Amino acid sequence: MDPHTPWWHKTILYQVYPMSFQDTNHDGIGDIPGITRRLDYIQSLGVNMLWINPIFASPKVDNGYDVSDYMQIDPQFGTMEDVEELIHEAHARGIKIIFDMILNHTSDQHPWFQEALKGPDNKYRNYYIWRDGKEEGAKAPNNWEGFFGTSVWEKGPRDDDQYYFHLFAKEMPDLNWENPDVRRDLTDIALFWLDKGIDGFRLDAFIHIVKEAGYPDLDLPEGEIALAEQYYANLPMVNQYMRIYTTTLREHFPDIYMLGEAASADVELARSYCDPNQGGCNSVITFRYFTMDEESKDPRLNGNMQATNLLYQPFKENMDQWQHAMNDVGGPTLYWSNHDMARTVSRIGNDHVYRDNSAKMLATLMYLQKGIPVIYNGEEIGMKNLFIDAIEDFDSPEAQKFYEKALDLGYTREWALHNLRETSKDSARGGMQWHDGDQAGFSTVEPWSGVNVEKKYNVKEQMMDSNSILIHYKKVLDLKRTELFNSGAYRLLLTDDHFYAYERELDNKVATIICNVTEDMHYYDLEPVPDNGYRRPILSNEGVRLIKGGNTVRLGAYGAVVLLTDYE
């Protein structure tokens, strides 16, 4: 590795959703001691960094993203001593830790907001965004819609005409980043945790911290609201604020890792967010990779909640663009899913007939590209979506709205629930499957979210099966840690829709990765190897065979192979 290459270019991230990972105090909710207990397992995967979803004090309106105290651990998860032990034990195993830092909003139970409610003259009033309503307070200040399907404005409880701004739930008021006191206090919070020994942050929703001056109305019929991302996402001042924020932290802790959540950022914005002279992030997570089949969806309903297929040809083009644009900054983040998406093998793969092979193929396809792998806990054993059979069991507020509107449009209950099961983030938050016994080893009592108990798809069984999804993931990550797959040049190979194929090249080695993304058998013709070269398979899943003197690969359903060619 080039001595000038930043250390984090070799990062392999494992995302832990604490509520669903391991319960140790028998309340059905995962906790911090549960993460500590499983560190040896996490280390065995070959990862070197943990991203832990929020564990700060919170009323849990949005599962911890509504923080009521940034410097206290929610008792549901444990104590500060538990966190300190986790940090110590992770570091002892060579694993770094980053926490979710929620920069855009707090809980309405946070002391800052409770003070702000006391009136316009309170110091903390300006920690949040307040505006006078229209028509002497009878109407909201504008017609913007938030991400939870309601107006971004909620009237304050006092007898005045002011409303506060919230992009998410009304219990999650947005912070006013124009106020230097807000920026200072959020910096102090980050320094508090860095002093505790964590290694950085995943910056939640940071692209939304700036809103358009004047809060202009959208051009809509009277009484309607609509999403207005052009007015509250990726505005120019975001980079200025983030550069100051990250630079200040690095003055104290130069080697921290900052992972920005930039859901709607295109590749040009992502480049700017990862520029140390602009946004100051090391990497960003965008939702722009995945080109789903939009034509099959009903435009009257939320498209994100309608099950459909990934269109591989535009997906390949997207990934190729991101590979080249982010090449000199460590590559893009590489991920299939997270806590806000349905499970990978259900959403993209085939969890009915070809669960093992599709899961292995997807891991091979994604994580051997150039970039930073981000693996969501349970993905490595092929965990599928939870089966949720009642609308009341969906925690997402958007789910209820989708369900009711679908029924109003004439769709059946079964159709609506099927689409929600296939797409909802609730389906991805089931308990981690450690074994096939009671509650899958996640807890001794019924989990808060439900759990799939499956004979084959659990850690215990797969650790003992050399042909399992888990062992395949370990092999993929073993390759990922090599110089070829970490630093080697990337080249997408032109193929038809049946394949996703690319090469990685470094010095005298070329790896060819060929993935059949369909459930049919296909043949892939290779270029003949020159006399000074020797080609051999170094990783494959089931149904893959070299034929015709090694110049053609036959790939069964969801087949994947990595071929290494050494040149003299």
Side-chain angles (χ1 to χ4, degrees):
M1 184 174 182
D2 186 332
H4 301 293
T5 300
W7 65 266
W8 53 267
H9 283 202
K10 283 206 166 186
T11 294
I12 300 176
L13 264 164
Y14 187 72
Q15 180 193 355
V16 170
Y17 195 68
M19 292 180 69
S20 301
F21 194 62
Q22 178 69 75
D23 170 26
T24 62
N25 64 350
H26 317 295
D27 62 357
I29 300 169
D31 45 49
I32 296 162
I35 303 172
T36 306
R37 177 188 292 182
R38 298 296 184 176
L39 283 174
D40 286 341
Y41 165 73
I42 293 169
Q43 182 186 34
S44 76
L45 297 175
V47 306
N48 52 23
M49 184 179 289
L50 285 182
W51 156 26
I52 300 177
N53 289 99
I55 53 175
F56 308 134
S58 167
K60 301 293 191 301
V61 169
D62 189 26
N63 285 340
Y65 284 93
D66 50 318
V67 178
S68 56
D69 191 332
Y70 288 90
M71 296 186 184
Q72 294 294 325
I73 299 302
D74 195 293
Q76 188 178 73
F77 293 123
T79 66
M80 188 66 76
E81 290 72 23
D82 292 329
V83 171
E84 290 166 351
E85 181 183 9
L86 171 61
I87 295 168
H88 173 77
E89 292 296 329
H91 287 171
R93 291 166 175 80
I95 300 171
K96 296 180 183 292
I97 291 181
I98 63 172
F99 282 179
D100 248 309
M101 178 57 68
I102 297 85
L103 298 176
N104 180 70
H105 50 265
T106 70
S107 166
D108 63 355
Q109 300 305 303
H110 194 288
W112 296 344
F113 193 72
Q114 290 297 302
E115 286 293 313
L117 291 176
K118 294 178 180 178
D121 296 331
N122 190 282
K123 169 190 173 181
Y124 290 98
R125 186 77 163 192
N126 197 38
Y127 271 52
Y128 298 90
I129 299 168
W130 296 84
R131 291 294 181 271
D132 292 333
K134 296 178 180 177
E135 299 180 12
E136 298 181 346
K139 292 184 177 180
N142 68 20
N143 58 4
W144 299 354
E145 180 184 0
F147 295 126
F148 281 17
T150 63
S151 169
V152 298
W153 299 102
E154 182 73 13
K155 198 166 188 180
R158 293 171 59 89
D159 293 329
D160 56 35
D161 299 335
Q162 289 214 309
Y163 292 70
Y164 66 87
F165 188 100
H166 60 94
L167 266 182
F168 298 90
K170 64 181 176 63
E171 297 88 355
M172 301 161 67
D174 280 34
L175 288 162
N176 175 19
W177 270 72
E178 293 182 6
N179 182 348
D181 291 341
V182 169
R183 304 195 298 270
R184 181 204 64 222
D185 284 355
L186 288 172
T187 300
D188 289 345
I189 289 165
L191 290 172
F192 170 84
W193 285 109
L194 293 170
D195 279 332
K196 288 284 183 183
I198 70 166
D199 303 286
F201 298 99
R202 181 257 192 186
L203 304 175
D204 178 69
F206 80 94
I207 63 173
H208 301 298
I209 61 175
V210 179
K211 283 73 177 176
E212 183 71 25
Y215 299 84
D217 271 316
L218 296 167
D219 184 13
L220 294 172
E222 182 68 26
E224 292 189 11
I225 60 173
L227 291 171
E229 287 212 54
Q230 67 270 37
Y231 293 142
Y232 50 64
N234 301 301
L235 297 186
M237 276 297 293
V238 169
N239 264 338
Q240 183 170 328
Y241 286 141
M242 294 313 300
R243 183 180 70 249
I244 296 169
Y245 183 74
T246 57
T247 299
T248 303
L249 297 182
R250 289 193 174 104
E251 288 172 356
H252 300 270
F253 298 92
D255 290 331
I256 57 173
Y257 180 71
M258 304 295 270
L259 175 65
E261 184 203 19
S264 58
D266 60 22
V267 69
E268 289 80 14
L269 277 168
R271 283 270 328 169
S272 74
Y273 291 144
C274 293
D275 185 333
N277 297 314
Q278 296 191 61
C281 292
N282 298 101
S283 311
V284 296
I285 293 175
T286 177
F287 292 179
R288 289 289 191 98
Y289 297 163
F290 306 110
T291 47
M292 309 305 288
D293 181 5
E294 300 297 327
E295 292 186 4
S296 64
K297 297 179 179 180
D298 187 334
R300 298 171 296 177
L301 290 166
N302 185 335
N304 293 329
M305 293 191 162
Q306 296 181 61
T308 186
N309 298 315
L310 178 67
L311 300 176
Y312 272 97
Q313 201 62 39
F315 173 64
K316 286 190 281 188
E317 294 168 6
N318 278 354
M319 292 303 294
D320 189 50
Q321 180 187 24
W322 281 84
Q323 281 287 318
H324 290 292
M326 305 298 285
N327 175 62
D328 61 339
V329 290
T333 52
L334 304 172
Y335 76 100
W336 281 117
S337 66
N338 55 45
H339 64 291
D340 281 333
M341 294 177 162
R343 284 284 176 184
T344 304
V345 75
S346 300
R347 189 175 100 257
I348 306 293
N350 181 321
D351 66 4
H352 301 294
V353 182
Y354 300 108
R355 185 168 172 184
D356 287 51
N357 238 32
S358 65
K360 294 174 184 178
M361 181 275 290
L362 291 171
T364 307
L365 185 162
M366 182 62 75
Y367 301 126
L368 294 180
Q369 297 178 105
K370 184 164 186 177
I372 310 295
V374 184
I375 299 165
Y376 180 45
N377 69 248
E379 176 190 328
E380 74 277 12
I381 56 171
M383 281 177 59
K384 66 178 182 178
N385 286 340
L386 281 173
F387 185 82
I388 304 175
D389 198 34
I391 187 59
E392 297 79 17
D393 293 333
F394 286 93
D395 191 48
S396 311
E398 315 97 288
Q400 183 71 39
K401 185 177 179 180
F402 174 89
Y403 179 82
E404 292 173 356
K405 190 169 184 180
L407 297 189
D408 289 344
L409 291 172
Y411 288 101
T412 65
R413 172 184 177 274
E414 289 72 22
W415 182 91
L417 287 174
H418 168 76
N419 277 270
L420 287 173
R421 276 194 297 269
E422 294 298 306
T423 61
S424 172
K425 58 190 177 185
D426 297 313
S427 300
R429 297 179 177 182
M432 181 71 178
Q433 293 162 214
W434 297 105
H435 56 63
D436 65 353
D438 188 38
Q439 310 301 339
F442 165 72
S443 179
T444 57
V445 299
E446 185 175 351
W448 73 277
S449 59
V451 63
N452 293 327
V453 180
E454 300 181 277
K455 174 67 178 174
K456 181 177 178 180
Y457 299 97
N458 62 76
V459 171
K460 183 179 179 180
E461 291 290 327
Q462 293 198 21
M463 288 281 278
M464 299 184 293
D465 179 2
S466 62
N467 201 36
S468 68
I469 299 170
L470 175 60
I471 299 302
H472 188 88
Y473 261 77
K474 289 185 177 186
K475 291 177 180 178
V476 168
L477 297 184
D478 283 344
L479 290 177
K480 184 64 181 180
R481 291 194 300 275
T482 66
E483 284 300 306
L484 174 60
F485 290 99
N486 181 258
S487 306
Y490 169 94
R491 182 168 74 93
L492 181 71
L493 299 176
L494 298 179
T495 65
D496 59 27
D497 289 352
H498 303 144
F499 296 108
Y500 191 115
Y502 58 94
E503 289 182 340
R504 302 296 307 275
E505 181 175 359
L506 184 69
D507 299 329
N508 61 342
K509 296 180 182 294
V510 176
T512 305
I513 298 88
I514 307 163
C515 298
N516 174 8
V517 299
T518 76
E519 58 186 46
D520 300 315
M521 181 181 294
H522 292 288
Y523 295 83
Y524 186 94
D525 293 325
L526 298 160
E527 294 290 330
V529 181
D531 291 341
N532 67 334
Y534 173 69
R535 182 165 57 207
R536 68 191 189 280
I538 58 172
L539 180 67
S540 67
N541 60 1
E542 286 64 58
V544 175
R545 185 177 177 186
L546 284 170
I547 59 175
K548 298 181 181 179
N551 290 323
T552 297
V553 187
R554 184 179 71 192
L555 298 106
Y558 300 103
V561 64
V562 181
L563 301 168
L564 180 64
T565 304
D566 289 293
Y567 292 92
E568 294 178 356

